[in-house]
Amino acid sequence: PTPISYLAGLYIQSNTKSSPLYFEPSAGNGLLTIALPPEKTYVNEIDLTRNRNLYNFGKFKKVLNKNASKPFNEYLKFFDGIVTNPPFGTQPPVKINEYQITKLEHLMLIYALDTMADNGRCCAIIGGHTEWDDLGRVQAGANRIFLSFLHHHYQVDDIININGKLYSKQGTRFPIRMI
C-alpha cells in the first residue's frame, strides 16, 4: 500500500549522508520508491515489461535487470538506503554463514542487505507475521532462522506485523511484516 511505501522511504532517508544513493532490488512497478528522489535511486526488476516501464517512466538514476535471488556483487556496501518487498515463496535451501535459508524473500533480502553501506538503513516488507512460542521465542522454523540471522548481522530497529486487510482493495489480504 502507498502509505507503507511512503513511510518506508522516509525511514531509510532519515540518517543518510548528503549525497545518498537508494536501492529497490525487486522494484516491480516502483511503488516502494514513492518517497525517494528518483535521481538518487537505483531500481532492479527482472520482468522485462515492468523493467521497461521503470526505464521509460521512472526517471531513476539506474534501472537494472538482475536476478535478485543472486548476489549483487558489483554493488556491495554501495547504497545508503534500501526498500524492498521481495516476492514470497520457497526455494531450495541456501547456506549463508551457518544459517540455512529456505524462503525466497529471506534470501533476496539478505542479498539486498549486502549492498547496504555500513551506516545505511533498510526497510523490508515480507510475508507473514512474527509469532512467538510459550517461552517468548520466535516460533521455530524458517522465520526463527532468518530473524536470528538478521539480529546477528544487523541492528534491527523493529518488526511490525501488519494486518493484510489494510491493503485488501489491492487484491490480497496476506499478512505482512515491516522490518
Side-chain angles (χ1 to χ4, degrees):
T2 304
I4 292 172
S5 299
Y6 184 73
L7 290 173
L10 292 181
Y11 173 77
I12 70 163
Q13 292 182 74
S14 64
N15 76 334
T16 56
K17 61 186 183 185
S18 61
S19 291
L21 291 174
Y22 304 106
F23 185 39
E24 214 295 30
S26 54
N29 288 306
L31 182 60
L32 266 180
T33 66
I34 193 169
L36 301 176
E39 70 279 1
K40 295 180 179 184
T41 304
Y42 287 56
V43 292
N44 179 65
E45 177 54 49
I46 196 166
D47 178 80
L48 293 177
T49 300
R50 288 184 291 225
N51 182 282
R52 205 172 0 227
N53 289 341
L54 291 166
Y55 182 80
N56 290 329
F57 305 114
K59 297 187 172 109
F60 294 104
K61 182 167 183 76
K62 193 162 193 177
V63 178
L64 306 173
N65 183 241
K66 298 185 176 290
N67 182 346
S69 67
K70 306 284 185 212
F72 291 92
N73 290 326
E74 64 275 28
Y75 294 102
L76 297 179
K77 297 189 180 239
F78 189 80
F79 299 104
D80 303 293
I82 298 167
V83 291
T84 187
N85 178 16
F88 312 153
T90 58
Q91 60 152 49
V94 174
K95 192 159 190 150
I96 299 181
N97 300 331
E98 66 274 14
Y99 300 90
Q100 194 80 359
I101 306 300
T102 59
K103 290 191 169 190
L104 179 62
E105 64 268 28
H106 296 171
L107 183 65
M108 289 174 72
L109 177 53
I110 289 168
Y111 289 148
L113 287 167
D114 286 343
T115 71
M116 187 173 67
D118 287 336
N119 292 322
R121 279 196 165 186
C122 174
C123 186
I125 298 165
I126 63 170
H129 279 172
T130 302
E131 296 179 7
W132 291 265
D133 64 16
D134 293 339
L135 299 174
R137 302 171 299 189
V138 172
Q139 286 185 344
N143 287 318
R144 182 187 285 177
I145 293 167
F146 173 66
L147 293 174
S148 177
F149 174 90
L150 282 185
H151 284 280
H152 182 78
H153 294 283
Y154 299 94
Q155 176 185 323
V156 178
D157 288 338
D158 206 348
I159 300 173
I160 304 166
N161 288 335
I162 300 173
N163 191 314
K165 291 179 186 176
L166 177 66
Y167 55 95
S168 62
K169 290 183 181 179
Q170 290 177 286
T172 187
R173 302 182 104 197
F174 197 75
I176 58 172
R177 287 171 279 187
M178 180 183 272
I179 302 173

